[in-house]
Amino acid sequence: MKRTNIKLILNLVLSIFLAVSMIFGFTNSVIAKKKIVLKAGDVHPMDYPTVQGMVRMGELLSDWTDGRITIQVYPSMQLGAEKEMLEQTQFGAIDLLRVSTGPLGTIVPEFNAFSLPYIFRNADHMHKVVDGPIGQELAEKAKKGGFIGIGYYDSGFRSFYNTRRPIRSMKDLKGLKFRVMGNPIFVDMVAALGASATPMAYNEVYTSLATGVIDGAENNYPSYTSSGHYEKAKYYTQDQHLSVPEILLLSNKTVEKLSKADVALIKYAASLSVPYQRELWAARAKASIEKAKAAGCEIITDIDKTPFMKAMEPVYAKHAKPLAGIIKRIQAVK
Ligand code: GTR
């Protein structure tokens, strides 16, 4: 082979080597510096404790990574109602979703255990369950629905409110029509109490109360006030029939895109946002009661819950069978 040919081949090999290493080095540095902006959704307004929990998560992540990972929070249903946001999270259009485990139960049935009326004895019991092995197990089970659970937020207790009359006992519920979240358990729960229920998106409730399409709804104090429902439905009865926790879901699609180390950071930030959200929650619950009272709402707290609990037997008969194992374990948590 001629000397010039050898030189030519050597030059070619060298330039290929340089090109490959340049591309490699370049993509490596792009990967290293690539910004990750997690798109997060919530139905509540910006100042609501659940939204603020995610804001805190974002601040922590940004601090730890010098701004490489941030969270862009879309509050107030900007990304849709909970059902739609769950779907968007399943196909990765939303990375992080704060949602009630109520509608989640229609996708991952194990969560229905948390939607059974009076399943939790009190807030402490609920915390022990969601923060313990049962909560962990269910958070992982969410994977089959397209997400992983990375933290449980507080949501207090849900009780009935309506535009018509004060509810002092079960018989006062007769004939009233209530909005419930999208899960058949809640429809059956209201029916078992002698009233009727219609599932409806959260943002449709205010107008439906105003126009008389429904007589009432049920929720915790912070949602009762922040949604404006208290302006229309002046009678709130603290029967505390549900204590459905909130959950933070990270899309499986997002998990697949990120490095293991980044997923671990996100999980850690979520875990630190939990006590923060719960602190905000306690303050917000108190302030919401005051707000409702100041607006002239009648808050009925002296109510005998025993008949309400008894009335739930058909709901358990219909929905509890496939959940028997989890229910037993929940009840055994002291
Ligand atoms: C709230 C909960 C929301 C949503 C809403 C509803 O308490 O935080 O996620 O489920 O209730 O009733 O639709």
Side-chain angles (χ1 to χ4, degrees):
M1 210 183 275
K2 277 190 190 160
R3 189 169 277 224
T4 46
N5 276 352
I6 294 174
K7 224 173 158 183
L8 232 140
I9 291 169
L10 275 177
N11 272 340
L12 199 71
V13 170
L14 188 71
S15 33
I16 290 172
F17 175 76
L18 281 174
V20 168
S21 54
M22 259 176 67
I23 291 168
F24 218 76
F26 174 72
T27 45
N28 252 350
S29 68
V30 167
I31 288 168
K33 292 200 185 99
K34 196 177 163 202
K35 289 213 185 290
I36 296 162
V37 183
L38 299 173
K39 189 172 180 183
D42 197 314
V43 293
H44 292 301
M46 202 60 184
D47 67 345
Y48 200 87
T50 52
V51 183
Q52 283 304 306
M54 287 194 290
V55 168
R56 169 56 65 95
M57 252 184 94
E59 287 164 0
L60 291 171
L61 286 166
S62 179
D63 275 1
W64 296 338
T65 62
D66 274 333
R68 186 175 58 83
I69 307 179
T70 52
I71 296 181
Q72 172 79 52
V73 180
Y74 294 86
S76 307
M77 289 188 143
Q78 284 174 34
L79 305 178
E82 293 201 319
K83 190 173 174 285
E84 285 87 57
M85 286 202 285
L86 278 163
E87 285 161 9
Q88 289 182 62
T89 313
Q90 283 179 308
F91 61 77
I94 293 177
D95 299 296
L96 178 68
L97 176 63
R98 195 295 307 161
V99 74
S100 164
T101 58
L104 178 59
T106 61
I107 301 172
V108 187
E110 286 83 352
F111 281 99
N112 281 335
F114 295 164
S115 291
L116 291 167
Y118 297 107
I119 184 79
F120 297 114
R121 294 187 298 273
N122 48 43
D124 186 47
H125 181 210
M126 191 272 277
H127 286 156
K128 282 187 180 142
V129 171
V130 298
D131 296 340
I134 302 172
Q136 186 58 36
E137 221 174 279
L138 263 58
E140 277 155 27
K141 287 238 163 77
K143 200 173 266 170
K144 65 180 176 189
F147 349 79
I148 51 166
I150 56 171
Y152 292 96
Y153 283 168
D154 266 3
S155 189
F157 287 93
R158 297 175 77 101
S159 295
F160 289 109
Y161 49 85
N162 81 96
T163 57
R164 305 270 174 199
R165 54 178 178 255
I167 309 296
R168 301 192 193 281
S169 70
M170 248 178 71
K171 68 174 183 354
D172 298 324
L173 285 165
K174 252 207 165 58
L176 295 182
K177 191 170 181 186
F178 289 93
R179 173 269 175 177
V180 289
M181 289 187 282
N183 186 322
I185 296 180
F186 305 136
V187 176
D188 294 335
M189 171 191 78
V190 175
L193 292 166
S196 68
T198 177
M200 187 184 280
Y202 190 48
N203 60 340
E204 288 167 18
V205 180
Y206 186 89
T207 321
S208 302
L209 287 170
T211 55
V213 167
I214 49 171
D215 302 304
E218 45 87 55
N219 223 315
N220 50 52
Y221 287 115
S223 290
Y224 176 51
T225 53
S226 80
S227 60
H229 299 173
Y230 76 117
E231 294 164 9
K232 301 291 166 203
K234 294 279 182 196
Y235 305 105
Y236 188 105
T237 296
Q238 202 175 292
D239 63 286
Q240 302 186 318
H241 51 267
L242 289 174
S243 172
V244 189
E246 316 278 28
I247 192 166
L248 284 169
L249 296 175
L250 189 62
S251 169
N252 278 352
K253 293 271 189 294
T254 309
V255 173
E256 283 159 18
K257 274 192 302 203
L258 301 177
S259 70
K260 279 210 167 84
D262 284 347
V263 172
L265 273 186
I266 293 166
K267 283 186 180 174
Y268 186 47
S271 74
L272 294 185
S273 76
V274 168
Y276 176 72
Q277 189 274 345
R278 289 183 185 171
E279 218 180 292
L280 293 181
W281 179 264
R284 180 76 172 222
K286 268 192 198 146
S288 303
I289 299 173
E290 292 317 313
K291 189 170 177 174
K293 279 185 184 161
C297 297
E298 189 175 347
I299 310 284
I300 296 150
T301 53
D302 59 336
I303 174 124
D304 180 12
K305 290 184 211 160
T306 322
F308 284 73
M309 290 177 180
K310 279 218 177 99
M312 294 307 156
E313 271 165 24
V315 181
Y316 275 73
K318 184 166 169 191
H319 296 281
K321 244 197 199 118
L323 305 165
I326 307 176
I327 294 172
K328 230 181 168 170
R329 287 172 63 204
I330 292 176
Q331 286 165 342
V333 174
K334 294 289 166 226

